[in-house]
């Protein structure tokens, strides 16, 4: 018999029962594919550090640490150094057809809730958001579509199994659903709140991760385009 241990996690208004350990083998899942992926990205130069992303599926199972670290972004590039003569990126608005970067939430059924806590390095500030995934969004994740896939050079049946979250200054979290061969469609937009504990749960004396020289120079020149997200 599978044994599970539980940990209690408290947010502003929501208490999550965090399931530690496996208890998913043999259980029914409604997915027509092996797993869906939780992906993140940030606008150009608006650098982000994800402290944690936790998922609650429709069976009320919690998957802690489903996301963390540096999300995808256009600029600065990963290997760029110093301050460029011309800034090629634009922080205003969201990317068209975003894909993000992340990993598969193995063993989870369709998502009901995503909790994410992140450092917005551009400000700096620490935010958290509770993102409810609607039934209509879950229906979209189950709908197959015939699409031409450039990666393999042929038509194939695909699903929107990428749950993509864009994180922007001001605590904005916007969500899309996409597929490897399908364009992303908007799902919802959430206004997050400031996490009262600060960065790293209050263990860093209020110090956030450092912003890169390139992003810092961009913000000093153009500012942070609040209201564009």
């Amino acid at each position: 018999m599978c044994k599970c241990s539980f940990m209690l996690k408290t947010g502003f208004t929501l208490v999550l029962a965090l399931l530690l350990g496996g208890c998913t083998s043999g259980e029914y899942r409604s997915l027509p594919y092996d797993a869906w992926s939780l992906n993140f990205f940030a606008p150009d130069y608006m650098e982000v550090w994800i402290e944690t992303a936790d998922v609650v599926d429709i069976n009320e199972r919690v998957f802690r640490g489903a996301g963390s670290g540096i999300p995808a972004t256009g600029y600065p590039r990963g290997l760029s150094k110093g301050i460029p003569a011309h800034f090629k990126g634009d922080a205003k608005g969201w990317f068209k057809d975003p894909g993000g970067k992340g990993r598969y939430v193995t063993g989870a059924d369709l998502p009901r809730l995503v909790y994410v806590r992140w450092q917005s390095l551009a400000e700096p500030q620490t935010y958290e958001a509770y993102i409810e995934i609607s039934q209509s969004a879950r229906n979209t994740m189950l709908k197959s579509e015939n699409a031409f896939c450039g990666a393999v050079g042929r038509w194939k049946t695909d699903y929107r199994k990428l749950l993509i979250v864009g994180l922007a200054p001001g605590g904005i979290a916007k969500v899309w659903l996409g597929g490897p061969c399908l364009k992303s469609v908007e799902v919802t937009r959430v206004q997050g709140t400031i996490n009262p504990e600060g960065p790293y749960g209050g263990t860093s004396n209020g110090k956030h991760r450092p912003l890169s020289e390139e992003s810092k120079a961009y913000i000093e020149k153009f500012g942070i385009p609040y209201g564009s997200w």
Side-chain angles (χ1 to χ4, degrees):
M1 179 179 295
C2 182
K3 297 182 179 179
C4 299
S5 60
F6 294 86
M7 182 191 310
L8 191 65
K9 176 181 179 66
T10 304
F12 279 147
T13 59
L14 183 65
V15 177
L16 298 179
L18 299 180
L19 181 59
L20 304 179
C23 295
T24 59
S25 59
E27 294 185 6
Y28 172 77
R29 293 190 301 130
S30 58
L31 303 179
Y33 35 79
D34 291 337
W36 55 273
S37 181
L38 180 60
N39 293 7
F40 293 92
F41 76 96
D44 291 343
Y45 307 108
M46 302 293 107
E47 294 179 55
V48 162
W49 175 262
I50 300 168
E51 292 190 347
T52 188
D54 306 329
V55 170
V56 183
D57 74 3
I58 57 175
N59 296 317
E60 299 304 323
R61 293 174 300 176
V62 180
F63 296 79
R64 190 184 184 193
S68 62
I70 302 172
T73 189
Y75 292 92
R77 302 293 192 187
L79 299 178
S80 62
K81 296 181 180 179
I83 302 172
H86 302 284
F87 293 101
K88 297 180 180 180
D90 186 355
K92 299 184 187 70
W94 299 105
F95 300 148
K96 292 182 179 179
D97 192 24
K101 181 178 72 173
R103 57 179 178 262
Y104 285 99
V105 187
T106 305
D109 208 316
L110 292 168
R112 183 181 69 78
L113 181 75
V114 175
Y115 168 81
V116 57
R117 185 177 70 248
W118 76 98
Q119 295 180 28
S120 174
L121 308 183
E123 298 174 271
Q125 188 60 269
T126 303
Y127 297 102
E128 63 182 353
Y130 294 96
I131 305 169
E132 295 186 9
I133 308 302
S134 67
Q135 183 60 55
S136 62
R138 290 192 289 271
N139 291 342
T140 299
M141 296 178 74
L142 295 175
K143 182 181 178 182
S144 64
E145 291 189 29
N146 197 31
F148 183 79
C149 194
V152 295
R154 61 180 174 84
W155 288 82
K156 61 173 291 186
T157 299
D158 197 12
Y159 292 89
R160 287 188 168 86
K161 57 184 178 180
L162 308 178
L163 184 63
I164 304 156
V165 183
L167 300 173
I172 304 300
K174 192 167 184 178
V175 183
W176 291 259
L177 285 172
C181 306
L182 297 172
K183 289 186 177 180
S184 300
V185 295
E186 295 182 15
V187 173
T188 189
R189 179 182 182 275
V190 174
Q191 174 63 65
T193 57
I194 295 174
N195 184 283
E197 295 180 337
Y200 300 110
T203 61
S204 65
N205 295 320
K207 294 182 179 179
H208 291 81
R209 290 178 63 88
L211 187 65
S212 71
E213 290 184 4
E214 184 172 344
S215 294
K216 184 178 180 180
Y218 179 93
I219 293 170
E220 288 176 348
K221 184 174 183 178
F222 298 104
I224 298 175
Y226 293 107
S228 69
W229 303 297

